[in-house]
Amino acid sequence: SPNDLQLLSDAASHLIFVLLGPMTAGGALPDILAAVELSLEGNLSLEGIAAVQRGLKPSGDLIPWNIREQFLDQEFPQLAGGRVVRIAVHPAAQRMGYGLRTLQLLHDFCEGKLRS
């Protein structure tokens, strides 16, 4: 939607990964089979964590703040990770395993097993 595109253009911590269909000999662009929006979260400074303790509510970084609040783990927000915001599979390619394959490849990419 247009709101999603605006969010992506404004938020440097949001990334899009796509699973493409096979390349054709004619040089046409391949079909997009699936897409994942990933939010990079965490890796927060001690100053940012201290600001939250003073009552300032941060935007974004949902997982680090929720874990910190639920488990009283003051160091968790310093860890870095990614959160899948949404995943979409082309309607003609649904129920064929492309969503799962996209998440597996994203996992491998984040572990450094694949290059962009």
Side-chain angles (χ1 to χ4, degrees):
S1 76
N3 290 339
D4 294 335
L5 292 175
Q6 182 178 1
L7 174 69
L8 289 171
S9 65
D10 290 343
S13 65
H14 284 246
L15 306 171
I16 293 288
F17 292 87
V18 295
L19 179 67
L20 300 175
M23 299 292 290
T24 60
L29 293 175
D31 291 332
I32 296 175
L33 299 175
V36 174
E37 179 184 355
L38 184 74
S39 173
L40 302 177
E41 298 190 349
N43 201 22
L44 303 172
S45 67
L46 292 174
E47 294 82 20
I49 296 169
V52 171
Q53 292 171 337
R54 291 191 303 269
L56 299 175
K57 185 68 177 166
S59 62
D61 294 305
L62 295 174
I63 293 175
W65 296 127
N66 287 336
I67 296 292
R68 180 189 169 276
E69 288 178 8
Q70 291 295 317
F71 297 101
L72 303 175
D73 186 342
Q74 304 302 319
E75 297 176 4
F76 192 85
Q78 295 174 341
L79 301 174
R83 173 176 57 92
V84 173
V85 176
R86 61 181 48 102
I87 182 168
V89 177
H90 190 283
Q94 290 179 355
R95 298 218 175 276
M96 296 182 183
Y98 290 119
L100 176 61
R101 183 66 181 143
T102 303
L103 291 175
Q104 289 169 336
L105 289 170
L106 177 61
H107 180 265
D108 290 346
F109 176 77
C110 291
E111 285 192 334
K113 296 177 183 175
L114 299 175
R115 293 188 215 177
S116 60

